[in-house]
Amino acid sequence: MTISRRKVLAASAAAPVLLAGGTAHAAAPASIHIHSERHRGEIDRKIFGNFIEHLGRCIDGGIFEEGSPLSDKHGFRKDVLKAVKDMNVPLLRWPGGNFSSNYNWRDGIGPRNARPKRLEMAWGTVEGNRFGTHEFMDYVEQTGSEPYICLNLGTGTWSEAQQWIEYVNGNQDTAIVAERKKNGRDKPWKVKYWGLGNEMDGYWQMGHRSAADYGAYALEAAKLAKLTDPEVKLIAAGSSNYRAGSDWIGWNRTVLEYLKDYADYISLHLYVGNTGNDYADFVASPIEMDQKIETVAGIIDAALATRTDRATGQLSKDGRKIYIAFDEWNVWYRARGDGQRGRRILEERYNLEDALVVAGFLNSLVNHADVVKIANLAQLVNVIAPIFTNDQGLFLQTIYYPLQLFANNMKGNSLRLLTQSPTYQSKRFDKVPYIDASAAMDGNRLVLNVVNRHQDQAINVVIGLEDKRFSGSVQVSEVNGPDIKAMNDFGSTLVSTKTRHIDASANTLTYSFPPHAQTMLVATLS
Ligand code: AHR
């Protein structure tokens, strides 16, 4: 298991160790040193992506509700669309998830009333297919997101996958392109991101295979995809199954051995939960994301280092890259388990501690901006989601706010911070820093995001600029609430973002970060 960068920094900084609920912050100084040119990598906005699946009320009854007075003429819920736009979603993955592993895209095209109803076996319902490829493409046009389509490499054939790409991106005089035109879309959509199946390492997946079988199958699908449209970027299905006895490292290694000449990304999935009601351990969960990313980044490097040129047999020097697509991540543990079949499923209700974990995951993604170039929160509406609806309206769950802050502010270059923080020991992790941070520099604009994991103590942090000065007003946005279990509901918002401004003009700023809160500072530097 790799040691996370955060743990190394925290340890090397030799900061005092506080027990949760221990001594006062005055005894435990913390600091974040920032150099505006100590870059980690450019932040790809697609790491703030999201995901919609034909599952419960995510699509049907979430973004799409035909006949509702709240919907437009296409059936899209206008209130949901506004909340999605306000969250600034750069990339939207569809149609699953587990759903995609038995989805035939042909069921979702043509006149809506003529589309077949099919048994939906991933989540135990009947799929009406009224939302298909055209509706998805219309939706991303409205939200301003880039589309990302997950192919069926479970029960689907190579031809079905190839023909879906041709239908969506083709421009030649073929029967499939003519069919798209007949269905009302003349120009190709040119969808760039295509997933080579979903969670194929999971025994629960329809069409689950061994790593070698999946690698060999996905390789042929990848060849067909790139022959159909050389511009497509392909996401191989990496690990999602971390249960005891599963060889998740071996899965990623084998898959990359097969796909290292064709995949542009390898996906990772991670869901966490507070099943033992242990706040200190739960809020440290983003360390697991750090560990997964750093382990798989090493596996990618190893795979790329052994590529050979087919013509010469020599080691390849073409500089090919493979990135990580963390295309499902979230807190998910309450609405989980065998009972999750049917219509109102996975309707997780989030509290403040969940929002802090989400903010920590976002810190992790930004802190690995050199290797993670796509990430998708699972999912957008109702199903383990930041937006929650009923037939009269919606409310924004606690986790909406960190997502919104990151997607709207964090851009430019991710900075390597030197963070010194008091630490604590949790059930799963040693030396968990109370102060968890990430930052970005875009021109002369600094964005610093801090999660203070401490449940009841503010922590003073000296923010030291090594090569710049603050130049006036600093915007401070805080996601917080009365206590870690505080939740939002219809008509009641206990957790949200509050924004104010402070002044700073020197090269240091000491800020007292409040307990159990996410705080984002946005400053202009000179
Ligand atoms: O996001 C919910 C489900 O979690 C997805 O369908 C699947 O990919 C994962 O197991």
Side-chain angles (χ1 to χ4, degrees), residues 51 53 55 93 95-100 122-123 198-199 204-205 240 243 269 271 328-329 332 336 346 378-379 383-384:
F51 167 39
E53 176 167 4
L55 194 184
R93 178 174 181 249
N98 296 342
F99 173 83
S100 58
W123 304 104
N198 175 70
E199 293 191 351
W204 57 86
Q205 202 67 212
S240 68
R243 293 172 204 221
H269 291 183
Y271 293 100
E328 283 188 35
W329 64 270
W332 175 26
R336 196 163 186 149
L346 278 66
Q379 302 189 0
V383 168
I384 46 173

Side-chain angles (χ1 to χ4, degrees), residues 63-64 74 76 94 108-112 115 129-141 189:
I63 65 165
F64 184 69
H74 308 286
F76 298 141
W94 169 81
I109 59 169
R112 267 190 204 166
R115 296 183 197 169
N129 282 306
R130 298 181 68 80
F131 186 101
T133 301
H134 291 251
E135 287 77 15
F136 173 63
M137 296 309 302
D138 287 348
Y139 196 65
V140 291
E141 203 175 304
W189 283 290

Side-chain angles (χ1 to χ4, degrees), residues 6-278:
R6 284 181 205 183
K7 282 164 106 183
V8 171
L9 279 181
S12 64
V17 176
L18 280 187
L19 295 174
T23 45
H25 63 74
S31 61
I32 300 174
H33 284 98
I34 301 172
H35 192 294
S36 67
E37 286 176 15
R38 197 157 51 224
H39 295 167
R40 172 105 205 180
E42 181 150 6
I43 298 170
D44 191 321
R45 275 194 30 74
K46 290 192 292 297
I47 64 173
F48 306 123
N50 215 297
F51 167 39
I52 53 170
E53 176 167 4
H54 295 254
L55 194 184
R57 297 189 305 127
C58 180
I59 294 179
D60 260 320
I63 65 165
F64 184 69
E65 199 166 9
E66 292 175 288
S68 163
L70 299 176
S71 296
D72 67 13
K73 63 176 193 303
H74 308 286
F76 298 141
R77 277 275 295 254
K78 287 184 277 188
D79 53 344
V80 175
L81 187 60
K82 179 179 179 317
V84 174
K85 280 185 176 169
D86 290 348
M87 209 166 57
N88 202 357
V89 176
L91 179 75
L92 197 59
R93 178 174 181 249
W94 169 81
N98 296 342
F99 173 83
S100 58
S101 292
N102 191 42
Y103 180 58
N104 188 330
W105 64 272
R106 287 199 157 278
D107 293 341
I109 59 169
R112 267 190 204 166
N113 289 334
R115 296 183 197 169
K117 289 186 177 167
R118 299 275 185 216
L119 203 56
E120 201 296 284
M121 292 177 287
W123 304 104
T125 52
V126 170
E127 171 56 45
N129 282 306
R130 298 181 68 80
F131 186 101
T133 301
H134 291 251
E135 287 77 15
F136 173 63
M137 296 309 302
D138 287 348
Y139 196 65
V140 291
E141 203 175 304
Q142 302 244 6
T143 59
S145 322
E146 265 197 79
Y148 163 10
I149 297 180
C150 184
L151 295 163
N152 172 1
L153 291 201
T155 63
T157 65
W158 291 321
S159 293
E160 281 163 19
Q162 183 279 322
Q163 289 181 6
W164 198 2
I165 299 171
E166 184 182 335
Y167 184 87
V168 171
N169 286 358
N171 210 4
Q172 292 99 323
D173 179 16
T174 68
I176 292 207
V177 171
E179 200 177 354
R180 182 191 72 222
K181 292 184 178 174
K182 195 174 113 227
N183 287 333
R185 173 73 188 194
D186 208 41
K187 283 199 307 207
W189 283 290
K190 286 285 163 205
V191 171
K192 202 163 162 189
Y193 302 98
W194 294 84
L196 297 168
N198 175 70
E199 293 191 351
M200 301 310 302
D201 62 331
Y203 61 83
W204 57 86
Q205 202 67 212
M206 291 176 282
H208 162 58
R209 295 159 205 263
S210 69
D213 283 353
Y214 167 70
Y217 195 71
L219 175 60
E220 298 312 309
K223 286 184 192 165
L224 289 169
K226 297 237 179 191
L227 286 169
T228 308
D229 180 354
E231 301 298 312
V232 296
K233 299 286 177 200
L234 300 175
I235 297 108
S239 58
S240 68
N241 182 2
Y242 308 109
R243 293 172 204 221
S246 87
D247 177 15
W248 67 271
I249 293 178
W251 174 276
N252 291 311
R253 206 182 274 139
T254 304
V255 165
L256 280 174
E257 256 335 289
Y258 278 91
L259 285 160
K260 60 191 175 185
D261 291 325
Y262 285 88
D264 301 287
Y265 301 81
I266 181 158
S267 79
L268 290 179
H269 291 183
L270 180 65
Y271 293 100
V272 298
N274 191 5
T275 41
N277 195 20
D278 178 347

Side-chain angles (χ1 to χ4, degrees), residues 185-398:
R185 173 73 188 194
D186 208 41
K187 283 199 307 207
W189 283 290
K190 286 285 163 205
V191 171
K192 202 163 162 189
Y193 302 98
W194 294 84
L196 297 168
N198 175 70
E199 293 191 351
M200 301 310 302
D201 62 331
Y203 61 83
W204 57 86
Q205 202 67 212
M206 291 176 282
H208 162 58
R209 295 159 205 263
S210 69
D213 283 353
Y214 167 70
Y217 195 71
L219 175 60
E220 298 312 309
K223 286 184 192 165
L224 289 169
K226 297 237 179 191
L227 286 169
T228 308
D229 180 354
E231 301 298 312
V232 296
K233 299 286 177 200
L234 300 175
I235 297 108
S239 58
S240 68
N241 182 2
Y242 308 109
R243 293 172 204 221
S246 87
D247 177 15
W248 67 271
I249 293 178
W251 174 276
N252 291 311
R253 206 182 274 139
T254 304
V255 165
L256 280 174
E257 256 335 289
Y258 278 91
L259 285 160
K260 60 191 175 185
D261 291 325
Y262 285 88
D264 301 287
Y265 301 81
I266 181 158
S267 79
L268 290 179
H269 291 183
L270 180 65
Y271 293 100
V272 298
N274 191 5
T275 41
N277 195 20
D278 178 347
Y279 167 79
D281 192 59
F282 176 52
V283 80
S285 297
I287 293 172
E288 191 180 343
M289 180 181 265
D290 293 340
Q291 291 170 341
K292 296 269 177 323
I293 292 171
E294 288 161 24
T295 302
V296 173
I299 297 172
I300 292 173
D301 284 348
L304 290 175
T306 54
R307 286 177 61 242
T308 48
D309 185 297
R310 287 223 184 92
T312 64
Q314 302 295 308
L315 280 181
S316 184
K317 292 202 177 71
D318 60 5
R320 177 159 219 282
K321 301 257 189 240
I322 298 175
Y323 296 108
I324 292 172
F326 223 114
D327 57 14
E328 283 188 35
W329 64 270
N330 204 347
V331 173
W332 175 26
Y333 66 106
R334 303 168 185 97
R336 196 163 186 149
D338 292 344
Q340 298 296 315
R341 314 274 301 160
R343 173 123 175 103
R344 289 200 72 119
I345 56 172
L346 278 66
E347 298 204 350
E348 193 95 5
R349 302 291 280 264
Y350 291 107
N351 60 22
L352 176 58
E353 67 183 20
D354 300 324
L356 298 180
V357 171
V358 163
F361 276 144
L362 291 162
N363 276 343
S364 176
L365 295 171
V366 170
N367 282 328
H368 295 94
D370 51 336
V371 287
V372 182
K373 297 291 185 186
I374 282 180
N376 304 75
L377 178 96
Q379 302 189 0
L380 189 60
V381 187
N382 292 329
V383 168
I384 46 173
I387 301 167
F388 201 92
T389 69
N390 62 17
D391 51 13
Q392 277 119 51
L394 61 79
F395 76 91
L396 303 177
Q397 297 232 55
T398 61

